[in-house]
Amino acid sequence: MQLRFRAAWVLLLAFLFATALSSAAEDPFVHPPELEKDIRFWIRVYTEVSTDGGLIHDDWDLGLVYEVLRFDPGDSQRERERAVEKAKSRYAELLKRFAAGNTENLTAHEKRILHAFGDKATPQTYRDAIDRLRFQLGQADRFHEGLIRAQAYEREISKVLSQHGVPPEIGALPHVESSFNIAAYSRVGAAGLWQFMPSTARRYMRVDGTVDQRLDPYSATEAAANLMLYNYHLLGSWPLAVTAYNHGPGGLKTAQDELGTDDIAVIVKRYNGRTFGFASRNFYVAFLAALEVDRNAEKYFGAMTHLPDTQSTVVDVPDYIPVQALEKAFKVDNGALKVLNPALRPPIWSGARFVPRGYGLRLPGALGAGEVEAALGRVSAAQRYVAQRNDGSHKMRRGETLAGVAAASGVSLGHLLALNNLAPGHEAARGEVVKIPLPATRGAPAAVPAEAPETTPVVAAATPEVLQEAPVASAPEKPPREPVSQRQAQSAALLPALSPATPGDAADYGVGEGDTVIVQPEETLGHFADWTHISSATLRKLNKLHKNAMVTLGHKMKLDFSRVSQSDFLAARRAYHTQEQDNFFASHRIAGTESYVVKRGESLWTISQHNGDLPVWLVSQYNPEVHFGEVRPGTTITLPKIAAINRQ
């Protein structure tokens, strides 16, 4: 009996051990021992010190904290900065004493610092540490506020991440980026919950003067999920994908290639990229710290305030409609509508622009399809427009015609000519300014074919959420020049400059050994001739190309840099690809990915053409390890899903 019990106990222990190992193996976010001190440092920042204080520390060894500074809440930004500089100077003098061998008559605090350097420290060790003195502002009050705000979005964020196959832990990242403040702007122009820069955001959502979906937490979460998936496809590791959210996927790919490893600890401690500074090195450990605090909020902050759940409904707007007409039809308060629809920019709320057709307007309450249909029925035909409201005038550009301007503005050519006292057949000159009337309404004949309104409005399932306490006024078009308070000013000045995600083009545009380059999508021999100021014939001869042969994607090509510098060539080459990609994302966004198995006889070009007319460069970006000139049948590749964006 005792033997059977002992055997059962051994089996149980083995099972528990195997389960623990399996669970650990499935954890996509490793905690390397080499980074443990860094993680603990950020937990202190997020839980122990408020924005009325901070830590004087070593910017490489985060386990070495010299002092916790406390500011008077009434101190000005300048007074706080002086206190920081005074503390740094004090520790710089102490380190100079250590370097000179003067370690007598030390206080207990100074002995602790000396001991932290260990027995093998040399005079140079202390001198080097002087340059690494850094101040980190505390974040405990902000993090606590963010935990409360997060309740409004965590359910939706979890759902979206799950739908995209992104680990749920990524849902803690807004704690690092914005403290879950949907109206947050950075000094460099990043905005919203996920702190997207405009250039990156335009790959995944609409960003312009009418709609900025970076400020909509739901649209921005979809975009963040798609960006994380791209980073993961490129880098093959979730820790690297998270770091790439800050540093850019191209930079992390370079780090992988240079060090020959996917180990996040090795990359964090050994990569010396020019722009891989404090913020990038600490982004992953700050994320792990935020995840720990988010999961154990009451351990660090005590009992949490829980906000009551409310519900909202998303309705696709069937026409271009003034927001005031929608407020009246749905009997909703302007302030509540602004809180629920932060992506709509000031021109919408002032009436200078209409709510765009197809926009998912979020309304308070759980509305049924019948209620939505009845409310939309109260919007008269005179308030339903077939095109976006214009600025009232237009300066003619090269190649434009009056007929084209009229069609784009949703008015008839005759109406446009009459308003401007122009005769039929008038050819407008470049730079000529013409007045633009309001576009036609559904109650008037349209000048251009317009999509018929939905007979049954599209209504998203009502999902529980919390109305965030946010300012009634919409967020500014640009980051405010002046901080709202001295505390915010201090934060902006001294927090790590955690730069947001950068565009997802990780292609190798550089010049390699022997003045060679790798041919990228959309590049031709003529492009290389233009960028180097060398004739196509000379380049053909240099590369032993037949007179009718074309350059091949993915192959090496030798160039002649006798007439331009490599840096000028690189600038021209990058500018071309940036423009190509910007043009595409002016009217398209990435809405997800799908797997595709290559068939016999297919090439990158045919795959791109037969799957939604995808740009070759975009398919290549999602499959950086695939050599499409020699791709084999049966190879599984990733194809991005593309959706059109209505920019009106």
Side-chain angles (χ1 to χ4, degrees), residues 588-638:
H588 301 82
R589 68 177 178 86
I590 297 170
T593 61
E594 60 184 341
S595 296
Y596 181 84
V597 179
V598 178
K599 302 179 181 64
R600 185 179 301 278
E602 287 188 320
S603 65
L604 173 58
W605 189 85
T606 58
I607 292 170
S608 300
Q609 294 297 306
H610 296 161
N611 288 273
D613 201 18
L614 293 169
V616 173
W617 53 262
L618 187 57
V619 177
S620 180
Q621 285 180 12
Y622 272 81
N623 300 274
E625 302 303 325
V626 177
H627 194 303
F628 282 97
E630 303 169 359
V631 64
R632 295 183 177 181
T635 302
T636 300
I637 64 174
T638 300

Side-chain angles (χ1 to χ4, degrees), residues 121-162:
T122 66
Q124 189 60 45
T125 302
Y126 301 119
R127 285 192 287 268
D128 290 343
I130 294 173
D131 294 330
R132 298 198 304 270
L133 285 167
R134 184 181 179 277
F135 174 75
Q136 171 60 51
L137 189 73
Q139 294 290 295
D141 48 346
R142 283 192 171 182
F143 205 102
H144 185 229
E145 293 164 0
L147 286 167
I148 296 172
R149 284 193 291 260
Q151 297 174 46
Y153 313 113
E154 55 192 7
R155 184 183 293 107
E156 182 68 17
I157 287 174
S158 178
K159 182 177 75 173
V160 169
L161 296 179
S162 175

Side-chain angles (χ1 to χ4, degrees), residues 327-389:
E327 291 170 6
K328 184 177 180 180
F330 283 96
K331 301 177 182 179
V332 59
D333 176 75
N334 174 269
L337 204 60
K338 282 184 176 180
V339 170
L340 287 171
N341 296 275
L344 296 179
R345 309 310 297 127
I348 296 285
W349 303 109
S350 69
R353 291 283 190 277
F354 303 136
V355 177
R357 180 177 60 212
Y359 181 79
L361 189 71
R362 192 171 288 271
L363 297 159
L367 305 180
E371 293 175 276
V372 172
E373 188 172 3
L376 288 175
R378 291 193 286 269
V379 180
S380 69
Q383 293 291 313
R384 296 169 176 262
Y385 292 83
V386 299
Q388 182 59 272
R389 186 169 192 167

Side-chain angles (χ1 to χ4, degrees), residues 508-520 523-532 534-546 549-561 566 569 573:
D508 181 7
Y509 294 122
V511 179
E513 188 177 348
D515 291 341
T516 59
V517 297
I518 303 297
V519 178
Q520 300 296 334
E523 292 181 337
T524 66
L525 191 65
H527 287 125
F528 291 114
D530 288 343
W531 298 332
T532 59
I534 300 295
S535 70
S536 296
T538 300
L539 292 179
R540 284 187 183 279
K541 185 176 181 180
L542 188 62
N543 289 275
K544 299 179 181 180
L545 290 173
H546 185 271
M550 297 183 294
V551 296
T552 307
L553 173 65
H555 286 200
K556 273 188 180 180
M557 184 172 181
K558 186 172 179 59
L559 299 179
D560 181 341
F561 292 104
Q566 290 188 6
F569 163 81
R573 191 184 192 193

Side-chain angles (χ1 to χ4, degrees), residues 246-468:
N246 172 268
H247 187 65
L252 264 296
K253 191 73 173 67
T254 299
Q256 275 183 313
D257 295 341
E258 283 190 12
L259 298 177
T261 183
D262 297 335
D263 190 321
I264 183 63
V266 173
I267 289 174
V268 164
K269 295 299 183 182
R270 290 180 50 195
Y271 180 53
N272 292 314
R274 182 176 57 85
T275 60
F276 197 70
F278 183 85
S280 296
R281 277 194 289 113
N282 280 276
F283 197 74
Y284 180 63
V285 290
F287 161 71
L288 291 180
L291 182 60
E292 157 67 17
V293 179
D294 180 81
R295 285 175 165 177
N296 301 281
E298 295 195 352
K299 169 185 173 182
Y300 294 102
F301 293 105
M304 296 293 297
T305 300
H306 293 283
L307 302 180
D309 281 353
T310 60
Q311 291 183 312
S312 65
T313 304
V314 178
V315 176
D316 286 349
V317 179
D319 297 292
Y320 293 92
I321 301 175
V323 70
Q324 293 80 7
L326 291 167
E327 291 170 6
K328 184 177 180 180
F330 283 96
K331 301 177 182 179
V332 59
D333 176 75
N334 174 269
L337 204 60
K338 282 184 176 180
V339 170
L340 287 171
N341 296 275
L344 296 179
R345 309 310 297 127
I348 296 285
W349 303 109
S350 69
R353 291 283 190 277
F354 303 136
V355 177
R357 180 177 60 212
Y359 181 79
L361 189 71
R362 192 171 288 271
L363 297 159
L367 305 180
E371 293 175 276
V372 172
E373 188 172 3
L376 288 175
R378 291 193 286 269
V379 180
S380 69
Q383 293 291 313
R384 296 169 176 262
Y385 292 83
V386 299
Q388 182 59 272
R389 186 169 192 167
N390 50 67
D391 290 321
S393 65
H394 176 76
K395 182 181 286 188
M396 300 297 292
R397 296 187 288 266
R398 183 190 299 275
E400 281 189 322
T401 65
L402 289 173
V405 170
S409 303
V411 300
S412 69
L413 177 59
H415 193 180
L416 183 69
L417 293 172
L419 183 66
N420 288 275
N421 296 316
L422 299 175
H426 175 81
E427 294 185 4
R430 179 185 178 188
E432 183 177 345
V433 177
V434 294
K435 297 176 183 177
I436 308 291
L438 277 174
T441 68
R442 290 293 180 189
V448 293
E451 296 179 10
E454 298 280 356
T455 55
T456 302
V458 179
V459 184
T463 55
E465 66 172 24
V466 179
L467 288 179
Q468 178 182 348

Side-chain angles (χ1 to χ4, degrees), residues 37-291:
K37 286 192 300 184
D38 307 59
I39 299 170
R40 302 311 304 176
F41 171 85
W42 287 103
I43 290 176
R44 291 189 67 183
V45 170
Y46 291 147
T47 64
E48 294 182 14
V49 189
S50 76
T51 50
D52 280 329
L55 308 177
I56 300 291
H57 66 96
D58 186 289
D59 78 351
W60 184 259
D61 180 4
L62 298 188
L64 177 53
V65 175
Y66 293 92
E67 182 180 344
V68 178
L69 283 183
R70 305 288 182 183
F71 303 125
D72 187 306
D75 285 350
S76 67
Q77 179 184 353
R78 184 61 191 140
E79 288 171 326
R80 294 181 177 210
E81 290 174 348
R82 278 198 294 263
V84 169
E85 291 308 312
K86 185 177 179 180
K88 284 184 178 180
S89 297
R90 185 166 64 252
Y91 289 107
E93 289 301 317
L94 180 64
L95 291 169
K96 288 177 184 177
R97 283 177 57 192
F98 293 168
N102 184 1
T103 58
E104 299 296 325
N105 301 318
L106 297 179
T107 66
H109 177 62
E110 291 168 342
K111 288 178 181 177
R112 181 186 65 81
I113 294 172
L114 179 65
H115 177 73
F117 281 91
D119 297 333
K120 296 182 180 180
T122 66
Q124 189 60 45
T125 302
Y126 301 119
R127 285 192 287 268
D128 290 343
I130 294 173
D131 294 330
R132 298 198 304 270
L133 285 167
R134 184 181 179 277
F135 174 75
Q136 171 60 51
L137 189 73
Q139 294 290 295
D141 48 346
R142 283 192 171 182
F143 205 102
H144 185 229
E145 293 164 0
L147 286 167
I148 296 172
R149 284 193 291 260
Q151 297 174 46
Y153 313 113
E154 55 192 7
R155 184 183 293 107
E156 182 68 17
I157 287 174
S158 178
K159 182 177 75 173
V160 169
L161 296 179
S162 175
Q163 289 171 344
H164 286 75
V166 174
E169 292 89 344
I170 294 294
L173 192 59
H175 284 299
V176 179
E177 289 287 352
S178 65
S179 297
F180 276 87
N181 179 2
I182 65 171
Y185 275 93
S186 78
R187 291 167 296 178
V188 295
L193 202 70
W194 294 89
Q195 287 291 281
F196 272 95
M197 288 290 283
S199 55
T200 303
R202 290 190 180 101
R203 285 181 163 248
Y204 304 100
M205 49 190 159
R206 178 174 176 176
V207 180
D208 54 41
T210 302
V211 176
D212 187 347
Q213 290 184 309
R214 296 180 300 166
L215 300 173
D216 179 272
Y218 308 102
S219 300
T221 297
E222 289 273 359
N226 281 314
L227 175 57
M228 280 294 182
L229 278 177
Y230 172 75
N231 290 348
Y232 180 73
H233 282 308
L234 182 70
L235 302 166
S237 155
W238 285 113
L240 293 183
V242 168
T243 309
Y245 195 88
N246 172 268
H247 187 65
L252 264 296
K253 191 73 173 67
T254 299
Q256 275 183 313
D257 295 341
E258 283 190 12
L259 298 177
T261 183
D262 297 335
D263 190 321
I264 183 63
V266 173
I267 289 174
V268 164
K269 295 299 183 182
R270 290 180 50 195
Y271 180 53
N272 292 314
R274 182 176 57 85
T275 60
F276 197 70
F278 183 85
S280 296
R281 277 194 289 113
N282 280 276
F283 197 74
Y284 180 63
V285 290
F287 161 71
L288 291 180
L291 182 60

